[in-house]
Amino acid sequence: MSQYFAFQWHITEECDQRCKHCYIFAENACKKLDSMSWDEMLQVVRNVEDFCKTYDRLPYFYITGGDPILHPSFWPLLELLKSKNIPFTILGNPFHLTDENLKLMKEYGCDKYQLSIDGMRETHDWFRKEGSFDETLEKLDMIKRAGITSVVMTTVSNVNIKEVPAIIDTVVSHKADVFAFARYVPTSDEKSTGVTPLEYRELLRCCDEKYKKYEADSKCETYFNRKDHLWTLYQYEVGDFKIPESAKEGVIYSGCNCGNCHITILPTGEVYACRRVADSCVGNIFRDNLKDLWMKEFEEYREFDRFAKCSKCKLLAWCRGCPAVSKGTYGDFYAEDPQCWADVEGEMGA
């Protein structure tokens, strides 16, 4: 059976919030908000289908924005995807969700709906807007009632790192189906997440302990997605991950998806290797064939021997940290991950 290929599709930049850590407004808060026309959306679907046919893959869309529900062609797009049996997840805000439109999303084939919680009430509302925290929790329950998988994502920085354990308890109590977190990517003049390697390792240790307690509880309905690839390093150290004996030299098995099984498409049609890597635009879907970009321009993000630190590490094929955070911190996609604590010259390189 063909494997799925992920397309993170930003159909609009329209949004009810101006989150302090949003990359859309990081460089220019007064920018014109871009949005795709219906004809352009049809072009995207055709180009994606051609790409997937060429490489024997099945398309999977992560539809986002801004807030995608604000796009005037949001519902026609979902209807189109249903007609083509293309599965999708929606990454959006809670403010316009109702029982009625969530039921309709489910009928159109919505697999998951992802919301963000970036701290407990005071911190989250500071990042986003007043009332956002409570409304997000309310809409989590509504998403589940519609039969859609509810996902909570947290962006971790020095502002909220100490609140992550409490966030976990909160999403579990609201029976979210999936929880994950990723690190904030520095933008503009910022050059640090404000988190040291050992502080980040301690967060993973604390969360791992909490995750395992919940995973042992048959009443817990939340799945914990260990999304950040530094989880692989942590699990290797504690014995929860072992390098398979069948592993082959030169084969990439998992880790960062950039240049491997993921493409980002912006409302302008720009194609990015990763939306979190500010200058990773490789072309434009309205003038370029994705299948051609994939074989040529994307190759720049698949030069694994260029990783300054990861190329020396035995976990290269499974981890590679987050090159987006490296790029935001040092200006170099292949620089070492600023939160990686591994000693590749010592035990990790042995």
Side-chain angles (χ1 to χ4, degrees):
M1 181 177 177
S2 298
Q3 293 182 319
Y4 282 107
F5 192 101
F7 298 87
Q8 182 174 319
W9 186 4
H10 297 249
I11 63 175
T12 183
E13 291 179 339
E14 292 289 343
C15 189
D16 293 307
Q17 301 182 123
R18 294 293 183 271
C19 302
K20 291 179 173 61
H21 55 338
C22 178
Y23 41 68
I24 293 175
F25 304 101
E27 301 296 334
N28 183 358
C30 298
K31 77 182 293 293
K32 172 185 173 292
L33 298 181
D34 295 307
S35 191
M36 277 194 183
S37 70
W38 175 243
D39 286 341
E40 289 173 336
M41 294 166 92
L42 293 175
Q43 281 185 256
V44 170
V45 174
R46 285 195 295 267
N47 207 329
V48 164
E49 288 182 312
D50 183 47
F51 173 93
C52 289
K53 182 178 180 180
T54 299
Y55 295 112
D56 190 27
R57 303 295 286 271
L58 298 173
Y60 191 104
F61 283 117
Y62 289 85
I63 301 172
T64 186
D67 190 356
I69 200 171
L70 297 177
H71 194 290
S73 295
F74 175 75
W75 296 106
L77 175 61
L78 301 197
E79 186 175 14
L80 174 67
L81 297 182
K82 180 181 180 181
S83 72
K84 293 177 173 293
N85 294 314
I86 298 177
F88 60 91
T89 287
I90 297 172
L91 287 61
N93 292 332
F95 311 115
H96 301 282
L97 297 181
T98 65
D99 285 318
E100 292 74 19
N101 62 28
L102 281 166
K103 179 181 178 182
L104 188 55
M105 287 182 204
K106 176 66 175 178
E107 291 174 359
Y108 281 136
C110 180
D111 184 22
K112 299 185 283 288
Y113 197 105
Q114 179 176 301
L115 294 171
S116 295
I117 295 181
D118 290 317
M120 298 306 288
R121 183 178 289 104
E122 182 178 350
T123 302
H124 175 91
D125 286 359
W126 174 81
F127 269 120
R128 294 178 174 268
K129 73 176 186 179
E130 187 176 353
S132 176
F133 181 82
D134 290 330
E135 184 144 10
T136 298
L137 294 180
E138 177 188 339
K139 297 306 170 66
L140 272 179
D141 300 334
M142 191 177 287
I143 292 167
K144 289 180 66 68
R145 285 201 302 271
I148 298 172
T149 298
S150 60
V151 181
V152 173
M153 183 69 184
T154 296
T155 300
V156 176
S157 69
N158 63 324
V159 175
N160 63 3
I161 188 169
K162 293 182 180 179
E163 297 181 33
V164 175
I167 296 172
I168 294 171
D169 292 335
T170 300
V171 298
V172 168
S173 68
H174 283 264
K175 300 182 180 180
D177 294 305
V178 182
F179 173 76
F181 60 80
R183 284 169 285 157
Y184 170 65
V185 175
T187 57
S188 191
D189 294 330
E190 297 172 308
K191 294 302 176 188
S192 173
T193 61
V195 178
T196 69
L198 293 184
E199 285 174 336
Y200 195 64
R201 188 189 186 282
E202 174 59 19
L203 172 67
L204 298 189
R205 186 205 64 77
C206 178
C207 290
D208 190 50
E209 181 179 297
K210 188 172 283 286
Y211 287 174
K212 286 175 177 175
K213 286 182 180 179
Y214 278 125
E215 288 166 343
D217 182 355
S218 60
K219 296 180 181 179
C220 178
E221 299 181 18
T222 305
Y223 167 76
F224 303 104
N225 178 6
R226 292 165 171 85
K227 180 181 175 70
D228 191 318
H229 304 301
L230 288 181
W231 272 111
T232 303
L233 170 60
Y234 177 82
Q235 291 182 311
Y236 178 80
E237 288 184 343
V238 300
D240 290 343
F241 172 78
K242 299 184 184 301
I243 296 175
E245 294 182 4
S246 59
K248 298 179 181 179
E249 186 75 22
V251 177
I252 297 298
Y253 292 95
S254 58
C256 173
N257 288 329
C258 187
N260 292 311
C261 57
H262 178 91
I263 289 175
T264 297
I265 304 163
L266 300 192
T268 56
E270 290 178 315
V271 177
Y272 273 57
C274 174
R275 184 61 186 93
R276 286 157 59 89
V277 179
D279 61 355
S280 65
C281 180
V282 297
N284 192 292
I285 199 165
F286 302 141
R287 67 168 186 264
D288 302 312
N289 288 325
L290 286 178
K291 60 187 180 184
D292 296 332
L293 294 177
W294 187 248
M295 292 302 294
K296 297 176 184 177
E297 280 73 13
F298 273 90
E299 193 62 30
E300 179 182 347
Y301 300 91
R302 297 193 283 257
E303 299 175 17
F304 303 111
D305 60 345
R306 290 180 58 191
F307 280 105
K309 184 176 181 179
C310 299
S311 61
K312 304 178 184 125
C313 181
K314 63 178 67 177
L315 297 178
L316 171 68
W318 294 272
C319 179
R320 302 183 301 288
C322 181
V325 179
S326 302
K327 174 70 175 178
T329 303
Y330 304 116
D332 182 357
F333 181 85
Y334 289 106
E336 67 176 80
D337 186 309
Q339 275 75 53
C340 177
W341 62 88
D343 177 11
V344 297
E345 303 298 338
E347 63 211 40
M348 285 299 301

